[in-house]
């Protein structure tokens, strides 16, 4: 593949991955609550989920959405329902300060698993937009199709890891100022609100 095209794909993958969306809001919250290391399964879940989504579109799944446009509405409903549930979980999440009961609840809280996050990518409209946009824009025809498709998957894996790690580290940095119960609750409510706000990009 031409190096200029590879650079273009890499830039596209980074920009699409680093711009605000459901994944990044969740990583920001997880980084603040659990730290970077415990959020790694969440990060890898996104990478794997996006890779599987890209692969499915390369194999022709995207064509199904052209044949049945109503599937886009189904996708929006499923994605919206999940984000509302996630926003509620974030808003009601226990802080690490407060009563003994609160502390025990906080200790047993766990980040999302690789499997959960990977599956979410298939109802995440932003992930679909990234995948369809990259496949339609950067794949080459003929013998170069598979090579260009694999290059797109590689770029999204590498550049995506860098981009979403930045959001996680931002969450880790924010956690340093969440030293009181009120600050932690305010952060939870803010993250929940931001999660709901991403619905604007889904439903428009």
């Amino acid at each position: 593949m031409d190096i200029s095209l590879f650079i273009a794909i890499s830039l596209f993958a980074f920009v699409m991955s680093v711009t605000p969306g459901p994944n990044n809001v969740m990583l920001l919250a997880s980084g603040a609550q659990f730290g970077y290391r415990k959020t790694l399964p969440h990060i890898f879940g996104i990478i794997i989920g996006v890779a599987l989504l890209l692969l499915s579109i390369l194999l022709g799944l995207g064509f199904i959405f052209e044949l049945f446009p109503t599937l886009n509405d189904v996708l929006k409903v499923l994605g919206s329902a999940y984000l509302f549930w996630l926003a509620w979980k974030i808003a009601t999440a226990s802080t690490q300060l407060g009563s003994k009961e609160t502390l025990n609840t906080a200790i047993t809280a766990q980040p999302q698993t690789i499997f959960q996050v990977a599956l979410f990518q298939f109802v995440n409209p932003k992930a679909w937009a990234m995948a369809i946009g990259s496949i339609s824009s950067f794949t080459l025809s003929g013998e170069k199709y598979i090579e260009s498709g694999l290059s797109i998957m590689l770029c999204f894996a590498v550049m995506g890891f860098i981009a979403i790690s930045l959001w996680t580290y931002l969450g880790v940095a924010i956690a340093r100022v969440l030293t009181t119960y009120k600050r932690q609750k305010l952060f939870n409510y803010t993250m929940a609100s931001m999660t709901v706000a991403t619905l604007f990009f889904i439903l428009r």
Side-chain angles (χ1 to χ4, degrees), residues 40-176:
L40 278 173
H42 193 142
I43 292 174
F44 287 122
I46 293 173
I47 299 300
I48 293 171
V50 170
L52 292 175
L53 190 57
L54 286 167
L55 180 61
S56 66
I57 294 174
L58 282 168
L59 296 177
L61 183 61
F63 183 66
I64 296 178
F65 282 82
E66 295 180 7
L67 290 177
F68 304 100
T70 54
L71 287 177
N72 288 303
D73 296 327
V74 174
L75 183 67
K76 289 181 179 181
V77 170
L78 292 175
S80 298
Y82 181 84
L83 288 176
F84 270 118
W85 175 82
L86 184 66
W88 178 79
K89 294 289 288 183
I90 293 173
T92 59
S94 299
T95 63
Q96 296 179 358
L97 301 174
S99 65
K100 184 177 180 180
E101 180 180 355
T102 300
L103 281 171
N104 289 337
T105 305
I107 290 172
T108 58
Q110 295 293 329
Q112 294 194 66
T113 66
I114 290 179
F115 182 71
Q116 289 173 322
V117 179
L119 281 183
F120 170 63
Q121 304 316 307
F122 283 84
V123 294
N124 180 358
K126 184 188 176 184
W128 276 97
M130 290 193 308
I132 293 175
S134 59
I135 297 301
S136 60
S137 300
F138 298 111
T139 49
L140 304 175
S141 59
E143 298 178 354
K144 297 283 187 177
Y145 181 75
I146 297 299
E147 178 186 349
S148 60
L150 292 176
S151 296
I152 292 171
M153 292 175 65
L154 175 62
C155 288
F156 266 94
V158 175
M159 303 307 291
F161 178 82
I162 295 171
I164 61 181
S165 288
L166 293 176
W167 281 87
T168 309
Y169 276 120
L170 178 59
V172 174
I174 290 174
R176 295 174 184 172

Side-chain angles (χ1 to χ4, degrees), residues 88-97 102 178-193:
W88 178 79
K89 294 289 288 183
I90 293 173
T92 59
S94 299
T95 63
Q96 296 179 358
L97 301 174
T102 300
L178 302 179
T179 55
T180 66
Y181 176 82
K182 286 186 176 181
R183 290 180 182 178
Q184 291 185 20
K185 292 304 293 183
L186 178 61
F187 177 77
N188 287 351
Y189 292 145
T190 302
M191 290 299 98
S193 299

